Amino acid sequence: LEHEPGAPEGPSAEIDAYYLETYVAADHMLGWKKLTRGRHELSFVCRGKNTQSTGFNLGVDTLILSRLGQVDRVGGERATAMRHATNEKALRDGWKDPDAFVRAAAVWSVTQDPVLASRMSGDLTAALRDPDDVVRGLAAVAFTNCGGCARSALKELTAALQDPDGDVRLKAADAIATLGPEAAPAAGALTAAIAANWSDAQAERSIATALGAIGPAASAAIPELKRLREVPRVQTQADAALRSIEKSGAR
């Protein structure tokens, strides 16, 4: 565990328990240990004495074992290794880890390398269905960064527009936008997503941008985009999308 206030530092607990008289008062934290079932032995080793002491006596009044509850996983060294991994097999193993922090670290690593993301697009598609929203969002980011490899996951990215997590919906729209007119099959879902994300300006901007990237094939979205342009924080993206869609005379 990371060091907590009051916990001893170093490989062992060192205590100067000298006192003028036999007196039970001070509690000492001996350490954080994860115990297995069975018998355990606790040893106290004398490493010297206080200069005022005339002897080496030790008295222990009470030894308390406390259950701290379940420790949440945070990935640890394995997650750190995943963030620096470039080997596809190692990353795939990381994506199967029961710890969501490890899976997120593995997917994050792929977001940093467009070539690797292209090679692993099938794995990224599966990551869009991960139970953890951070992993799903990072998978969408990887598709955004990989220069067109999102076309192989258009169906899954379109489904992600209905994700319960707003950030995942936003990044799915960003990934779809990279496909331009090729994303035309997603136009209806993007239009529906405007209503679903109403008042989420960040998501609305991404959705409007994706519709604009599709161009005239997204003409059915014009009424919704005109409604969006009344929202100050989305007006710029909505106007740009309308110009793109209407440039070929679509109405």
Side-chain angles (χ1 to χ4, degrees):
L1 295 178
E2 293 182 345
H3 187 72
E4 295 287 344
E9 298 184 27
S12 61
E14 295 188 8
I15 300 170
D16 180 356
Y18 172 75
Y19 205 71
L20 295 173
E21 56 183 300
T22 301
Y23 185 72
V24 179
D27 289 338
H28 297 281
M29 180 72 72
L30 299 180
W32 304 87
K33 301 293 182 181
K34 184 175 181 179
L35 301 180
T36 57
R37 184 184 299 276
R39 182 184 180 90
H40 296 268
E41 181 177 297
L42 175 65
S43 298
F44 293 89
V45 179
C46 179
R47 300 171 62 92
K49 67 182 183 71
N50 186 290
T51 55
Q52 299 180 69
S53 177
T54 58
F56 295 87
N57 298 315
L58 170 69
V60 178
D61 180 78
T62 306
L63 178 66
I64 300 174
L65 298 180
S66 297
R67 183 185 299 275
L68 299 181
Q70 181 63 40
V71 178
D72 291 336
R73 289 180 165 185
V74 292
E77 293 181 357
R78 182 156 168 73
T80 299
M82 286 296 110
R83 293 187 191 98
H84 297 88
T86 57
N87 179 277
E88 292 181 33
K89 182 181 183 304
L91 289 167
R92 288 189 179 99
D93 289 344
W95 289 356
K96 297 175 184 176
D97 198 282
D99 188 338
F101 285 91
V102 175
R103 300 198 304 276
V107 180
W108 177 87
S109 184
V110 179
T111 68
Q112 306 303 297
D113 187 337
V115 176
L116 186 60
S118 295
R119 293 203 307 264
M120 302 188 71
S121 59
D123 302 281
L124 288 171
T125 301
L128 287 170
R129 299 187 292 270
D130 193 274
D132 184 76
D133 55 356
V134 174
V135 175
R136 298 195 304 275
L138 285 170
V141 171
F143 277 120
T144 304
N145 296 347
C146 69
C149 73
R151 64 175 57 87
S152 64
L154 180 57
K155 179 180 178 181
E156 290 77 10
L157 288 166
T158 301
L161 294 171
Q162 301 177 28
D163 194 278
D165 184 85
D167 289 335
V168 176
R169 298 194 300 270
L170 182 156
K171 298 316 298 181
D174 287 343
I176 291 171
T178 66
L179 299 178
E182 290 184 80
L190 286 163
T191 303
I194 292 177
N197 289 277
W198 189 250
S199 80
D200 183 345
Q202 288 183 311
E204 290 166 351
R205 287 196 291 266
S206 292
I207 294 167
T209 299
L211 287 166
I214 292 171
S219 59
I222 289 176
E224 289 293 335
L225 287 168
K226 287 183 175 179
R227 186 164 69 99
L228 269 189
R229 73 174 309 280
E230 301 302 320
V231 180
R233 294 175 62 194
V234 192
Q235 185 177 35
T236 299
Q237 290 76 14
D239 280 341
L242 286 166
R243 288 194 299 270
S244 175
I245 293 171
E246 295 176 337
K247 66 182 179 181
S248 296
R251 292 290 185 271

